[in-house]
Amino acid sequence: MSLWNPENAKDVAESVGIASLNPDVAENLARDVDYRLAQILENALQFMRHGRRTVLSTQDISNALRVLEIEPLYGYESTRPLRFGEASIGPGQPLFYVEDEEVDFEKIINAPLPKVPREISFTAHWLAIEGVQPTIPQNPTPADSRNQDLLAKGPGANSNLAAMSGTDNASVKPLVKHILSKELQLYFDQICGAILNEANEEDRVSSLASLRNDPGLHQLVPYFVQFVAEKVTHNAKNLFVLTQMMHIAEALLENESLYLNPYVAALVPPILTCLIGRRLGDNNTSLRHYDLRSFSASLLGLLCKKYAESSHNLKPRLARTCLKQFLDPNKSSGTHYGAILGLDAIGGADVTRALIIPNLKSYEQVLQDNIADDSPRKKDAEMVLEAIFQVLKSVEKDYTPMSNGYSGEFDEELKKKLADKIGGFVTLKIISSKRVRLAHAILASQDKIKGL
């Protein structure tokens, strides 16, 4: 027995010219109608659940009909709920219909006319004059541009982003569906402004502490990474800005609550720029940029320590980059200094044995040209020599001498072997420091080279 009344099937048959329909056929048709209705409702309920709703809508029915390749019903797309009325056409035969809303023509006639739309017109204005955007109402203000920078862009944007940033008429589609709240935008502006404020050290320290410890900065990570990259790119002559950008990178790396794996590739270029950049700062005679390079080397080591396992090719790529800069005699002393410290930070004593010590002999000619008494680059060459001496100390720390030991003095044979291996300048530096153990560790380095 079907839920659908077989008499309805007979009524439909009579309406299309079939006078007498066999009762068995009417019963089978009624059962088929039951099955089809159940199939449509089941698909419509799936659309409703996927839409996170609890009320079935006419759109769900239309989608279900479309999935079943049935022509959808037309005229039921209203967003307001439908009201059904009931009329009786006979005993036990109720008829349901949609109640139409009564319209009062007198109210419509007496209602005020809507405003006449403006005529279509065109105006011309300058977007930019010789690269400078004029300040006119038609062009966006710097504040509008700043809000646009903070909004993620790309397909699938949340429409609330434009409204929350005050640009309701802008079409912004972020790659990531999240809302950057006004509070986060204000926090980002305040942190960036405080860190770049050279006059207020207290604000800088507190801002970096917030970046280092605040657990709720996940949504702002890509914006901070982009901020660091842009500032390093456009402020190569400003040591203060470069140093503060490295402090931001350090704070982000030390924040245990942040997941930075997707942003490692974006953090590496600004760190390498501050490490092996050809010229950093606006004063070529100043040695302050060496402090920035040392700090960047420590950041590179921290980056490798935390993310070398998740990025298996991170260390080899960084080592190749630093080694290439170290072996290029045309690079500046600052670049050589950063490359040496970078190699040591990447892999410690193992990298020093494998990549630095074997190339010190060939590098002696570069030191000889720069460290002469009348050379204007003598101070820079001395800084590079000091960097080489510092990284060689890591080889000494894990050196285990032979069972028969060694003498505590530099004899002529030891000096000659050391000079043949690492060059005269580095040898003189080691001899003047009286580090006999370091000399023997360098000579034995070939036997302890390990794979990276």
Side-chain angles (χ1 to χ4, degrees):
M1 181 178 179
S2 64
L3 297 177
W4 187 263
N5 192 348
E7 295 297 327
N8 292 334
K10 293 181 180 180
D11 293 340
V12 175
E14 291 177 358
S15 66
V16 294
I18 302 176
S20 59
L21 186 66
N22 190 299
D24 293 336
V25 175
E27 181 69 25
N28 289 331
L29 285 175
R31 291 177 181 176
D32 187 67
V33 170
D34 285 346
Y35 169 74
R36 301 297 178 185
L37 287 176
Q39 189 180 23
I40 293 171
L41 288 174
E42 183 179 354
N43 282 275
L45 288 172
Q46 290 181 2
F47 281 104
M48 180 192 74
R49 295 190 189 99
H50 285 294
R52 306 290 185 182
R53 289 179 282 104
T54 57
V55 178
L56 193 67
S57 67
T58 55
Q59 186 63 42
D60 296 328
I61 300 294
S62 297
N63 292 334
L65 292 174
R66 189 175 292 109
V67 168
L68 296 173
E69 297 183 355
I70 303 173
E71 185 178 0
L73 301 176
Y74 300 103
Y76 293 95
E77 295 297 327
S78 175
T79 56
R80 62 183 179 83
L82 299 177
R83 293 184 303 173
F84 290 89
E86 181 180 355
S88 179
I89 59 175
Q93 295 184 354
L95 176 65
F96 296 93
Y97 63 94
V98 179
E99 293 184 353
D100 293 328
E101 183 180 358
E102 295 183 359
V103 179
D104 191 344
F105 282 102
E106 186 176 353
K107 290 183 179 180
I108 295 178
I109 294 173
N110 297 328
L113 296 175
K115 293 183 179 180
V116 179
R118 296 180 179 179
E119 294 183 1
I120 298 176
S121 61
F122 298 93
T123 59
H125 66 89
W126 289 100
L127 291 175
I129 302 175
E130 295 183 356
V132 179
Q133 177 180 284
T135 307
I136 56 177
Q138 289 83 356
N139 287 336
T141 63
D144 296 335
S145 301
R146 186 61 190 155
N147 288 336
Q148 290 297 323
D149 291 340
L150 285 176
L151 289 173
K153 301 172 178 62
N158 192 315
S159 59
N160 294 330
L161 286 171
M164 296 195 70
S165 65
T167 56
D168 297 18
N169 58 345
S171 177
V172 182
K173 297 181 177 180
L175 290 173
V176 182
K177 290 186 178 181
H178 69 265
I179 299 175
L180 195 62
S181 64
K182 284 284 188 179
E183 290 78 8
L184 284 177
Q185 293 185 33
L186 181 61
Y187 176 87
F188 179 83
D189 291 334
Q190 293 289 340
I191 291 293
C192 294
I195 290 177
L196 294 178
N197 185 2
E198 194 170 357
N200 196 330
E201 183 178 359
E202 184 178 354
D203 285 354
R204 294 202 305 271
V205 172
S206 61
S207 298
L208 291 172
S210 177
L211 284 179
R212 190 174 290 108
N213 302 313
D214 198 327
L217 303 180
H218 301 279
Q219 292 184 350
L220 286 178
V221 169
Y223 302 107
F224 278 118
V225 172
Q226 182 183 9
F227 178 72
V228 170
E230 289 180 353
K231 289 298 180 182
V232 170
T233 302
H234 298 102
N235 294 273
K237 294 185 177 181
N238 192 328
L239 283 179
F240 172 77
V241 174
L242 295 178
T243 303
Q244 296 311 307
M245 293 305 103
M246 293 300 99
H247 280 299
I248 291 179
E250 180 191 34
L252 293 176
L253 289 172
E254 292 181 350
N255 193 327
E256 298 296 335
S257 302
L258 300 181
Y259 181 71
L260 295 181
N261 286 68
Y263 309 103
V264 171
L267 279 173
V268 167
I271 295 177
L272 284 180
T273 299
C274 294
L275 178 68
I276 56 177
R278 186 175 183 85
R279 290 183 181 178
L280 302 177
D282 56 355
N283 188 355
N284 294 332
T285 61
S286 175
L287 301 179
R288 291 189 302 134
H289 64 93
Y290 288 104
D291 295 333
L292 173 62
R293 295 181 191 273
S294 300
F295 182 40
S296 302
S298 66
L299 281 185
L300 201 64
L302 178 61
L303 195 71
C304 292
K305 181 179 179 181
K306 293 190 68 173
Y307 302 104
E309 293 185 2
S310 57
S311 302
H312 63 277
N313 62 343
L314 178 63
K315 279 189 175 182
R317 291 177 62 184
L318 292 176
R320 282 195 296 268
T321 301
C322 291
L323 182 62
K324 181 180 179 181
Q325 302 299 314
F326 173 51
L327 297 180
D328 190 347
N330 297 320
K331 297 295 182 179
S332 65
S333 297
T335 299
H336 292 159
Y337 178 91
I340 293 168
L341 294 184
L343 286 171
D344 182 65
I346 291 168
D350 292 336
V351 174
T352 301
R353 291 191 192 96
L355 301 180
I356 296 181
I357 292 179
N359 295 296
L360 287 179
K361 181 64 177 178
S362 60
Y363 187 73
E364 184 181 18
Q365 185 61 43
V366 179
L367 286 175
Q368 186 175 356
D369 296 339
N370 295 336
I371 211 167
D373 292 337
D374 56 346
S375 175
R377 295 175 291 184
K378 181 178 180 180
K379 291 183 178 180
D380 295 294
E382 290 174 350
M383 292 296 297
V384 176
L385 184 60
E386 183 64 29
I388 295 174
F389 182 66
Q390 292 299 323
V391 299
L392 289 178
K393 290 180 181 179
S394 63
V395 178
E396 181 185 10
K397 290 180 181 179
D398 61 349
Y399 169 64
T400 304
M402 302 292 290
S403 58
N404 56 357
Y406 53 83
S407 64
E409 301 291 337
F410 280 99
D411 54 27
E412 293 301 323
E413 182 181 1
L414 179 60
K415 292 179 182 178
K416 184 177 183 304
K417 289 182 179 179
L418 199 60
D420 291 341
K421 189 173 185 65
I422 61 176
F425 288 101
V426 183
T427 300
L428 289 176
K429 181 73 174 178
I430 295 174
I431 294 174
S432 62
S433 65
K434 299 181 180 181
R435 304 182 79 101
V436 180
R437 178 185 173 88
L438 175 58
H440 285 279
I442 293 172
L443 293 177
S445 61
Q446 283 299 114
D447 300 330
K448 296 191 65 175
I449 291 180
K450 302 174 183 177
L452 293 177

